[in-house]
Amino acid sequence: MMPLVRLTGLSVAFDGAPALRGIDLSIAKGEAVGLVGESGCGKSVTWLAALGLLPAKARITGSVMLDGQELIGAPAPVLERVRGGRIAMIFQDPSSSLNPVHRIGKQIMEALGLHRGMTGSNARAEAKRLLDLVGIPDAARRLDAYPHELSGGQNQRVMIAIALAGQPELLVADEPTTALDVTIQAQILELLQSIRRQMGMALVLISHDLGVIAEACERVAVMYAGRIVEEAPVEQLFQSAAHPYTQGLIGALPPMNGPRRRLAAIPGGVPEPWAMPPGCGFAPRCQFRAAPCDAAMPGLMGLSGQHRAACIRVAPAATQLERIPA
């Protein structure tokens, strides 16, 4: 079955410095996929590039196919129909995404007008329905509220309502719970899962938190330094993580039960795009670093089923499988 969205060799450079270094990822219709990694790994840039939202100085190569239609280099009218229509994106800080001088209802109705041609009382009625859908109480009155009159969690629900206005086939949620307290985080994640099931749309959840990904997604891609270094179904990733970076992320998670233990921190930080090490980008931080790690950048290798990892240490386990180009 043809995937809804397929990214192939997607690369991005700013002033010659590589921010993305060949992303290969596919999203099936109705699927929930998580993108996880530290800040600066390229998670957000991946989807900003796919939707043509990066500044003009960004050099983008590769392919992004939406139901067989190429988005990289597509004319502006095509991208305008896709953005907010077939693919919607919500961001981690609703206070910077909502216009503080316009009422909530007007902002939702604007999206309805752009993507579905709705105006007047029909648009207002649909805006109220969307606020009801995302769980905002007293929706009719809230339509006339300003963003500063709502809490952070309610504003994030408004952002989700705006994203749903175009009836998207894919919703990209970029750190949608980061600015919220733990209780509200759980409510937003539950809301996203409920809406996905109800509308049959696909979901890409971008996060630095593996716990959030495990709760909301079926498959996860781990990103590091502009590349996907491991990809697997969620349960398989937690049971048998193959890449040292993924193992480090899991090791940094506090256990929910059992004896207390010291959390294992990953030393160092994500390299800057203009100071990328030769070979494997994670090698300077890896406890298993060897000479071959500095010689060449390893490609993703198939392990079993949908499990892939980009590390020379997994090569013996994949000798009977076809190497998957990065």
Side-chain angles (χ1 to χ4, degrees), residues 171-316:
L171 178 64
V172 180
D174 188 357
E175 302 273 14
T177 62
T178 297
L180 308 175
D181 64 57
V182 175
T183 303
I184 304 302
Q185 284 185 20
Q187 293 175 3
I188 294 297
L189 289 176
E190 184 179 347
L191 172 64
L192 289 173
Q193 293 179 76
S194 173
I195 290 173
R196 183 174 74 88
R197 290 191 296 267
Q198 187 173 339
M199 299 183 64
M201 68 181 182
L203 172 69
V204 170
L205 181 58
I206 298 172
S207 180
H208 62 275
D209 188 339
L210 269 172
V212 168
I213 296 294
E215 185 175 341
C217 298
E218 302 155 349
R219 184 162 56 94
V220 57
V222 181
M223 289 191 66
Y224 185 80
R227 299 185 68 229
I228 292 176
V229 297
E230 188 159 6
E231 181 183 352
V234 168
E235 290 186 8
Q236 190 170 6
L237 187 87
F238 277 87
Q239 291 172 0
S240 56
H243 197 282
Y245 179 59
T246 311
Q247 294 169 359
L249 292 178
I250 294 174
L253 290 173
M256 297 300 293
N257 46 45
R260 293 185 178 182
R261 61 172 176 81
R262 184 178 294 275
L263 300 182
I266 305 175
V270 180
E272 298 292 350
W274 56 86
M276 204 64 68
C280 176
F282 186 65
R285 307 174 68 187
C286 183
Q287 60 178 321
F288 305 109
R289 183 179 186 175
C293 299
D294 299 319
M297 185 166 60
L300 283 167
M301 302 193 68
L303 299 179
S304 61
Q306 293 181 294
H307 194 176
R308 310 187 298 167
C311 178
I312 61 170
R313 294 178 63 247
V314 307

